[in-house]
């Protein structure tokens, strides 16, 4: 095997995955030591998101990227609809990832295009693919922010598909959701800058999403423009209880940081990034900090509810829709 020192620079923190979670953490770790960030693809080239992020958390990022501000959530099920006020921002996720990576590089992190293969905790060594070569790399602290993997991340996950289309949303000031009547899940349509929309479908029951449901939704909403980009992926629905194993840490989707009731992950990643930074830098027990945190408890309760609903089979979508509308109605009454 070639000597790792000739290819990848030494680092105090090695972050695998330079998408949103990895790049954000790299930017926060950079003031405390040398950060090596690797990804098997160029960050900012893959669409994996609706791009909806709570305005409060988006502001914390301090990024100057194009975005649309919305004030309302609109939830529709057949002929019933419910709306409540909530301040969100919608971004093109590819631009968000590119901007966060830029921030990490400006803070001193170093990026290399390389694929993580495996690691051995006893020797602090990981195997990395660079082009056709596999090299060994000795890490000090390894952060796996490489997204959700069903082989290691558990069996409870959802599936989704998303497009960016050159069309205008009929609900320019809202995040629009249509609850599905045959599966636990929903279609969404979010307005993007420059007359584009982010439109997609997510199934939260473990069942595959329906392409027919997505096609019908696009037709209903009159979204007929040119498709600029397609993407999607799996959505982890259960937060991990083990986010630190020795010198190895998990962050983002690899730690299951998604609110399973609506598939929202970015907000939790932003909220948790300071706690992760503190524990990684100071060597504190992250598992205890995480499992006693309100975000973990919120994600766990939501996961248990969605899992129970999904296990009821065909009636699952009716229960999910009823609970979603009840929650939306309760929020609208409180405003
Ligand atoms: C269709 C869809 C819509 C969504 N919409 C929203 C939304 O509107 N709002 C919201 O808050 N959340 C949304 N989410 C959830 C949100 O996208 C995720 O929580 C978020 O992307 C997690 O970021 P991450 O960096 O942890 O993982 P990822 O974005 O999955 O990034 C993982 C990175 O690791 C890299 N990687 C993987 N394996 C390796 C390897 N072996 N070696 C090197 N690199 C590797 C990948 O190339 C990738 O760049 C959505 C999810 C989906 C699937």
């Amino acid at each position: 095997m070639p000597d790792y020192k000739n290819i990848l620079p030494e680092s105090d923190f090695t972050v695998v995955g330079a998408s949103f979670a990895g790049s954000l953490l790299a930017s926060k770790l950079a003031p405390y030591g040398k950060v090596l960030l690797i990804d098997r693809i160029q960050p900012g080239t893959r669409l994996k998101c609706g791009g909806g992020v709570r305005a409060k958390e988006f502001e914390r990022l301090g990024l100057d990227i194009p975005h649309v501000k919305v004030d309302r959530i609109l939830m529709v099920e057949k002929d019933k609809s419910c709306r409540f006020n909530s301040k969100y921002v919608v971004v093109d996720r590819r631009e968000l990832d590119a901007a966060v990576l830029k921030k990490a590089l400006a803070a001193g992190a170093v990026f290399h295009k390389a694929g993580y293969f495996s690691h051995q905790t006893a020797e602090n060594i990981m195997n990395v693919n660079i082009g056709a070569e596999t090299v060994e790399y000795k890490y000090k602290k390894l952060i796996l922010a490489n997204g959700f993997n069903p082989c290691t991340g558990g069996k409870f996950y959802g599936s989704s598909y998303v497009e960016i289309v050159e069309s205008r949303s009929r609900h320019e000031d809202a995040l629009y959701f249509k609850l599905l009547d045959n599966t636990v899940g929903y279609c969404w349509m979010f307005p993007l800058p420059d007359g584009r929309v982010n439109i997609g479908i997510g199934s939260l029951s473990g069942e595959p999403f329906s392409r027919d449901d997505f096609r019908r939704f696009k037709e209903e909403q009159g979204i007929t423009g040119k498709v600029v980009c397609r993407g999607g992926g799996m959505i982890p629905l259960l937060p991990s209880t083990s986010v630190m194993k020795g010198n190895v840490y998990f962050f983002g989707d690899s730690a299951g940081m998604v609110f399973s009731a609506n598939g929202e992950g970015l907000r939790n990643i932003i909220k948790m990034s300071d706690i992760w930074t503190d524990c990684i830098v100071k060597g504190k027990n992250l598992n205890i900090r995480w499992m006693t945190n309100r975000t973990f408890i919120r994600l766990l309760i939501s996961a248990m509810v969605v899992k129970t609903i999904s296990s009821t089979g065909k009636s699952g979508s009716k229960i999910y829709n009823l609970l979603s509308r009840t929650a939306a109605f309760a929020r609208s009454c409180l405003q």
Side-chain angles (χ1 to χ4, degrees):
M1 274 186 186
D3 183 355
Y4 69 89
K5 283 182 185 155
N6 292 333
I7 299 171
L8 296 174
E10 279 186 48
S11 66
D12 300 300
F13 310 105
T14 310
V15 183
V16 176
S19 180
F20 185 71
S23 293
L24 181 63
L25 201 57
S27 72
K28 302 223 167 195
L29 289 170
Y32 301 99
K34 290 183 199 158
V35 179
L36 170 66
L37 186 57
I38 66 165
D39 201 304
R40 58 186 174 196
I41 64 163
Q42 181 61 37
T45 56
R46 192 180 63 134
L47 178 67
K48 199 213 148 179
C49 195
V53 52
R54 273 251 301 240
K56 196 172 146 199
E57 273 77 34
F58 179 73
E59 277 157 23
R60 278 179 62 185
L61 296 173
L63 297 177
D64 183 20
I65 56 170
H67 59 274
V68 171
K69 289 180 182 169
V70 296
D71 294 327
R72 292 185 302 143
I73 308 259
L74 183 54
M75 200 180 277
V76 173
E77 183 198 359
K78 286 187 184 153
D79 49 345
K80 302 175 197 109
S81 74
C82 193
R83 68 190 64 204
F84 58 92
N85 295 339
S86 195
K87 288 191 187 306
Y88 268 78
V89 157
V90 189
V91 294
D92 181 330
R93 172 63 193 272
R94 297 167 301 168
E95 289 175 358
L96 180 67
D97 286 358
V100 182
L101 174 67
K102 200 171 157 195
K103 199 171 173 182
L105 300 183
V110 175
F111 173 72
H112 275 264
K113 198 166 162 194
Y116 155 88
F117 184 64
S118 63
H119 69 273
Q120 295 99 46
T121 36
E123 293 111 24
N124 283 11
I125 283 179
M126 70 172 188
N127 297 313
V128 181
N129 299 326
I130 304 175
E133 306 231 60
T134 302
V135 299
E136 283 190 347
Y137 180 80
K138 198 159 172 63
Y139 60 83
K140 290 180 186 158
K141 292 189 177 178
L142 175 64
I143 297 105
L144 294 174
N146 53 343
F148 177 69
N149 179 341
C151 300
T152 52
K155 290 185 186 140
F156 188 41
Y157 56 88
S159 62
S160 64
Y161 175 74
V162 60
E163 289 179 354
I164 291 181
V165 185
E166 284 176 355
S167 278
R168 285 202 176 274
S169 167
R170 288 177 187 157
H171 318 279
E172 287 275 319
D173 61 343
L175 299 187
Y176 181 84
F177 292 93
K178 183 188 176 191
L179 302 172
L180 299 170
D181 51 16
N182 49 2
T183 181
V184 179
Y186 53 81
C187 289
W188 73 82
M189 182 171 63
F190 301 165
L192 274 170
D194 307 323
R196 297 172 301 147
V197 287
N198 181 307
I199 186 162
I201 183 167
S203 161
L204 302 174
S205 62
E207 298 291 316
F209 60 83
S210 155
R211 289 196 178 270
D212 284 342
D213 282 343
F214 180 65
R215 188 180 39 76
R216 268 195 297 274
F217 179 61
K218 268 182 93 173
E219 279 168 15
E220 273 165 32
Q221 296 303 321
I223 302 300
T224 53
K226 184 180 160 205
V227 178
V228 185
C229 184
R230 293 184 169 85
M234 286 176 274
I235 307 173
L237 299 177
L238 191 63
S240 172
T241 51
S242 178
V243 291
M244 170 196 181
K245 291 175 188 162
N247 283 348
V248 181
Y249 302 83
F250 299 83
F251 189 55
D253 274 15
S254 74
M257 280 182 186
V258 175
F259 187 56
S260 55
N262 64 6
E264 190 176 29
L266 303 178
R267 174 188 178 189
N268 307 315
I269 293 169
I270 299 168
K271 280 175 95 169
M272 289 299 110
S273 57
D274 287 336
I275 290 182
W276 252 249
T277 304
D278 183 49
C279 288
I280 294 169
V281 170
K282 296 183 183 153
K284 293 182 188 167
N285 190 323
L286 185 57
N287 289 326
I288 293 176
R289 281 287 285 282
W290 170 229
M291 283 195 287
T292 52
N293 189 279
R294 272 176 55 185
T295 296
F296 172 80
I297 295 164
R298 185 172 156 265
L299 301 189
L300 186 66
I301 292 171
S302 153
M304 281 158 44
V305 172
V306 174
K307 203 168 195 294
T308 308
I309 291 172
S310 301
S311 67
T312 61
K314 288 206 163 166
S315 50
S317 62
K318 289 194 179 64
I319 305 171
Y320 173 78
N321 294 357
L322 179 68
L323 287 180
S324 300
R325 280 193 292 109
T326 308
F329 178 69
R331 286 201 57 176
S332 67
C333 290
L334 290 172
Q335 285 164 354

